Amino acid sequence: MDTYIPFCGAPPLPAELWSRWTLEPTLLIGLALVWVLGWRIAENRLRFAMAWGLVTVLFVSPLCAASIALFSARVGQHILLTLVAAPLLAAALPRLRWPPLPFAALFAGLFWVWHAPAPYQATLESDGAYWAMHISLFAAATLLFATMRARPERALPAAALTGAQLTLYATLLTLAPAAWHGWHIATTPPYGLTALADQQLAGALMWVAGGALFLTSIANLTLRFFRDTHPDRPTS
């Protein structure tokens, strides 16, 4: 039986990382098809181009391969996917006037499930699980930000739930006494890290960068709501 190779390839060594671009034809065709469809329906094409350009970079660039070797790289990929690309895409597409709180709960559930040891391991053993993780997380985050954007007067509980669960996850990652994912015991030493140190780095990224990006998104939503409800009031 052939050994399964993860979607982004075998864990790269540091010396080869920057040559590890993922140019798999099915991936490129899928990205192009979504680009064409999104361009047709986007209300703001600049924001759509920024969002889908970032998505393309996340899965084509060496970050994809790095996320197979380092849990911190996978978490960094997910921060950019859900807290940068998703709100950009949500701001580009037609508004969804649905209550935000159920989508905050959906995003929280998916985030915790996919980063638990068994489901996370499954993404390293199956292309189907790998794409189920990323598509579901990205879709849930986009729906969350889209509904928060459309219903800012109802966004506070959803924002509070999302911020709290991301902070809790980051805290548990950073303070855990042992690594959660056995896969990375073998993949982190070439980078001068133990699996636990890599996990702590992932927690710090989520805590600091993730928290800052989420607060930036909420501040932007608040500013847009203020401008929509007070269109004649000057802003500094």
Side-chain angles (χ1 to χ4, degrees):
M1 180 183 295
D2 293 335
T3 301
Y4 172 77
I5 298 175
F7 178 79
C8 297
L13 296 174
E16 65 183 13
L17 178 60
W18 295 109
S19 66
R20 290 285 300 275
W21 294 76
T22 306
L23 302 176
E24 204 276 329
T26 303
L27 171 64
L28 299 180
I29 291 171
L31 290 168
L33 289 175
V34 175
W35 181 282
V36 171
L37 176 62
W39 190 258
R40 291 174 63 88
I41 67 174
E43 292 184 344
N44 187 312
R45 288 180 169 176
L46 175 59
R47 287 197 177 97
F48 173 77
M50 293 170 63
W52 206 245
L54 177 56
V55 170
T56 300
V57 169
L58 293 178
F59 292 102
V60 172
S61 76
L63 180 58
C64 187
S67 71
I68 303 300
L70 300 173
F71 183 60
S72 55
R74 177 71 66 96
V75 167
Q77 183 188 45
H78 289 175
I79 290 172
L80 293 171
L81 184 69
T82 61
L83 299 182
V84 180
L88 278 171
L89 183 61
L93 298 177
R95 299 190 181 204
L96 296 176
R97 302 195 67 82
W98 299 335
L101 189 57
F103 294 100
L106 174 64
F107 174 66
L110 288 170
F111 193 91
W112 282 76
V113 166
W114 280 120
H115 292 89
Y120 180 85
Q121 181 65 29
T123 70
L124 300 165
E125 299 174 347
S126 163
D127 285 1
Y130 179 86
W131 286 113
M133 166 194 262
H134 289 94
I135 292 172
S136 63
L137 284 175
F138 184 51
T142 301
L143 288 168
L144 170 60
F145 283 105
T147 53
M148 290 173 68
R149 171 176 175 256
R151 306 296 295 269
E153 73 280 2
R154 297 187 182 182
L156 182 58
L161 172 61
T162 303
Q165 65 97 358
L166 291 176
T167 300
L168 177 59
Y169 179 79
T171 302
L172 293 175
L173 268 186
T174 306
L175 301 180
W180 291 356
H181 305 297
W183 171 274
H184 294 297
I185 293 173
T187 64
T188 54
Y191 293 84
L193 295 169
T194 63
L196 180 58
D198 177 43
Q199 180 173 294
Q200 291 168 340
L201 177 58
L205 282 173
M206 176 61 70
W207 212 332
V208 179
L213 287 170
F214 183 70
L215 288 175
T216 298
S217 296
I218 297 305
N220 184 57
L221 284 170
T222 303
L223 179 60
R224 291 175 65 86
F225 176 64
F226 180 82
R227 287 175 174 171
D228 289 345
T229 54
H230 301 84
D232 300 323
R233 181 174 295 182
T235 57
S236 57

